[in-house]
Amino acid sequence: MAEQGKDRLPHLLVRDTATTSRYTSPRDGRGPGLNLPTRNRAQHAEHLIRQIEQAREQEANIIQAQKAFGLDAGNGIYISFEDEPSFDLKFESLEFQRGGIELCSIKQVGEQSIATVFVPEGKLAYFLNKISQYRDEEITPQAPNKPAKPRNKDLVESISAIKLAALRELWTDDPGLFPKDDESIWWEVWLRHSRNVDYEGFLRQHAPQLEMTVNEEAIHFLDRTVLLVRGTKGQMTRSVHLLGSIAEVRGAKETATFFTGMDRVEQRDWMDNALARMSALPDDAPSVCLLDTGLNEQHPLLQPVADPADLHSYNKPDWGTDDRYGHGTPMAGLAAYGDLTEPLAHNGPIELTHRLESVKIMPEPGFHKDRRLYGAITRESISRVEIDPNRKRVYCMAVTTPDDRDRGRPSSWSATVDALASGYEDEQSRLIILSAGNTDPAQRHRYPDSSLTDEVHDPGQAWNALTVGGFTEKVQLDTARYPGWQPIAPEGDLAPCSCTSMEWVKNLPIKPEIVMEASNMAISPVDGSADYIDDALQLLSTGHQFALGKQLISFGDTSAAAALASRLAAKVQGQYADYWPETIRALIVHSAQWTVAMKSRFLPLRTQEHYRQLLRYCGYGVPNTDDLFWSTHSALTLIAQDGLQPFFKDGSQIKTRDINLHALPWPTEVLQALPEETQVEMKVTVSYFIEPNPGERGWTNKYRYASHGLRFDVRRPLESLDAFQQRVNQQARDEESRPSRHTVKESGKWILGENLRKLGSIHSDTWHGSAAELAERGYIAVYPVLGWWKERANLQRWGKRARYALIVTIKTPGVETDIYTPVANTIAAEVVV
């Protein structure tokens, strides 16, 4: 998320950028280890030594203030270590426990890592010694013919800057939630532990002097104590240096427990307050259509967004359209508002951006005791809601089969979803969002192993669907009520309910593509079992028995995650009305990022296999909402919606036809003006829908599942346009043939690489390199590869066009420059002409 006040600019939709050419027949790095920037050894060492000396000059004043405040032991300062954007920081070497030097927190700001370390009084010499050794000493390798390398090379060369840490460096929450100067909030304060000092007691004793309030509750972990402290940013800034005990701070969170513990009258008061802050729903607002157990639209919070005329049923005479089971209605609350703890707990305006529709596809899970073709039910249910063909909508279905016997292979249900999404039968493409399915609740105490072996459920393997797994940030427990219980999943990691595709064969699509909040569970201190003991670990949504029972209830699992994703998709559709379903899917995946907790499961991320496992675990990560909706001056997103004809018939043969070459409006002059070594990044995503060819027939040659495939490639520095076209032309040949040797070496580094990013029907990868290199890469090719459209000529699909969305984001992390305006001006000028 962007920091408060950061510029927000609309993404740029570019038109007519592609030149279509006819197909004609005829990674750079340092190897294993950390990804380190190139350093001038002597200059870099002196640069860091100067920064430590500057911190040492401030240390004496801080220690003196601590002792005057009454802290006579455990004195010290906070130092932050930053890496170069897109490079690695060897953070594990920053801690020296014997010397009392403690790594407090690591946070990601874009592609940059910032590690904050507590350094006891007089211990800055530890880092000065490390840097001096790097400058003056070398290690001679035991292996012959290997050059000597500087001592502490990995640690020192991974550090870009060292400085005295401030409150912002200790803030590990969403940067967009960092409070304003005069705003008094509840802070979640994480205290370090010490053998010599009772930091909790010291804070409670001295809080009145700091004009702060400390909540009576506390959570004690192995080496951290968590308290809630109320105060302003200025008061907290002062306390950071005076207390010397804070490891990190976050914004305190409202939980579902606060609202579910209320009686009906109290809940209604909170809802009335929210209703009074809602805007009117636009007449042309898109919709989220829930394929679920029905919807009780008379719930007070659902009335503004749900019309009885938009409620349907697969079997209306017998089932009706209402929700008697209690799944569709809480799905609706999340799809409309997100986790209700947020809009209820805050007093700001609530903007309604989309409406709700519902098709009741079953009265309750497991209702169909006899075997049914769920693909047929899904198809018929979607046809019922499309009475108004002009309304833009996003479909959301959290109903899955409980078994995983398909192991990622297409089923009749998933193939139907692919057909519906692609418009195979009616030329109308659709965005369909599916849940990845839930792990066996009885096995969740085995987390994370239970998620690693429980596979994405049918129809979640559908190529064209956006399949959503779960992660969680909910780790707060009422320790007084549940002593000894511990959250199962760490903050930011996969949720205990989420299935994965870890055990699928390597050539199947990446599923899930993204993860959203899906709640947490806790482990019993008595028998080690997993349970939903505390509503604080759940999301808050609308209850189906609102007339007699609770109007607000807790809800979770991957159903909740899918509902949240559908809300994001509908909001994008509302903001960018011209975007295709393929484009919205692409934007959501394009904006996703892995959390530190997710990446830590597969460290060190050195090889393609490590990244393959990470993708199979949590897809591309958690969507970043600022990146999803907005560009900025230093982060430009270009979007092209285009198409090509992959194949044509030449006599009796079906041959490859079109290659699209996109000449994007590139900020060449701005990039060239930056220092040559400035590190930048480029992210590219291509999304398209395939037509399915299901059946257990090997999925090769004419029995391929996908009608076609698309790939992208980017022109390399020093590569002429003709050479680029020839190389792409060669790559467009059958993927089963041996890959050609590239005549122009790639510069920089792609995270995933060609082989890993080509799975499924959405392809996304990020390139890191210098600004000078990126300035020369303004052409992107999109080209077809084999599919059954070509191999099964008798089906007469070889003449179809294939449309796609191409998204390119350029970022200059850590550099204040405007790459947005020159491109926006170019596009505007072209429109005028």
Side-chain angles (χ1 to χ4, degrees), residues 49 178 281 309 519 564 575 610:
I49 288 173
F178 194 73
L281 187 69
S519 75
L564 294 177
Q575 180 164 321
H610 291 139

Side-chain angles (χ1 to χ4, degrees), residues 54-81:
Q54 290 172 1
R56 177 180 272 175
E57 292 173 2
Q58 302 172 73
E59 179 186 22
N61 292 333
I62 293 173
I63 300 300
Q64 183 180 0
Q66 289 175 349
K67 292 180 178 179
F69 192 64
L71 185 64
D72 297 321
N75 307 91
I77 60 173
Y78 294 97
I79 299 293
S80 66
F81 295 80

Side-chain angles (χ1 to χ4, degrees), residues 758-783:
K758 69 181 182 181
L759 303 175
S761 62
I762 184 166
H763 314 300
S764 186
D765 204 354
T766 302
W767 175 88
H768 298 288
S770 71
E773 292 167 338
L774 183 58
E776 304 298 325
R777 304 184 69 117
Y779 288 88
I780 297 180
V782 177
Y783 60 91

Side-chain angles (χ1 to χ4, degrees), residues 60-258:
N61 292 333
I62 293 173
I63 300 300
Q64 183 180 0
Q66 289 175 349
K67 292 180 178 179
F69 192 64
L71 185 64
D72 297 321
N75 307 91
I77 60 173
Y78 294 97
I79 299 293
S80 66
F81 295 80
E82 301 177 359
D83 67 1
E84 293 284 358
S86 306
F87 288 93
D88 297 328
L89 177 65
K90 194 176 183 182
F91 54 82
E92 67 273 13
S93 296
L94 296 173
E95 189 166 70
F96 181 50
Q97 293 182 345
R98 284 186 299 162
I101 297 174
E102 181 179 349
L103 179 63
C104 293
S105 63
I106 302 170
K107 62 185 290 185
Q108 291 289 130
V109 180
E111 292 297 320
Q112 186 178 47
S113 298
I114 301 175
T116 301
V117 176
F118 176 79
V119 182
E121 180 182 2
K123 296 295 183 180
L124 279 173
Y126 171 79
F127 294 107
L128 280 173
N129 184 49
K130 289 281 187 183
I131 298 169
S132 298
Q133 287 176 338
Y134 163 78
R135 180 190 60 194
D136 302 330
E137 301 178 20
E138 293 187 338
I139 299 175
T140 303
Q142 296 179 350
N145 302 322
K146 283 197 172 184
K149 71 173 186 176
R151 188 177 296 277
N152 307 320
K153 172 183 170 67
D154 286 356
L155 170 61
V156 179
E157 291 194 352
S158 73
I159 300 171
S160 172
I162 302 173
K163 63 181 181 180
L164 191 71
L167 177 63
R168 190 176 291 274
E169 277 71 48
L170 291 171
W171 176 267
T172 58
D173 213 332
D174 181 348
L177 299 178
F178 194 73
K180 300 176 182 177
D181 290 336
D182 57 350
E183 182 181 7
S184 182
I185 68 165
W186 281 102
W187 303 76
E188 188 179 279
V189 178
W190 293 60
L191 300 178
R192 300 184 300 108
H193 283 188
S194 170
R195 295 179 181 178
N196 303 318
V197 184
D198 176 11
Y199 284 132
E200 179 185 349
F202 188 81
L203 172 57
R204 292 186 183 279
Q205 177 185 351
H206 291 82
Q209 293 174 251
L210 296 167
E211 300 179 311
M212 303 177 80
T213 303
V214 183
N215 188 282
E216 63 182 18
E217 296 177 346
I219 304 174
H220 299 282
F221 296 110
L222 183 63
D223 61 350
R224 292 288 186 267
T225 296
V226 184
L227 303 170
L228 293 184
V229 179
R230 187 171 184 85
T232 64
K233 185 171 73 173
Q235 291 165 339
M236 184 57 69
T237 298
R238 183 165 174 256
S239 70
V240 164
H241 294 298
L242 290 179
L243 297 172
S245 59
I246 297 175
E248 59 178 292
V249 292
R250 310 175 187 180
K253 300 175 181 177
E254 295 287 359
T255 68
T257 305
F258 178 77

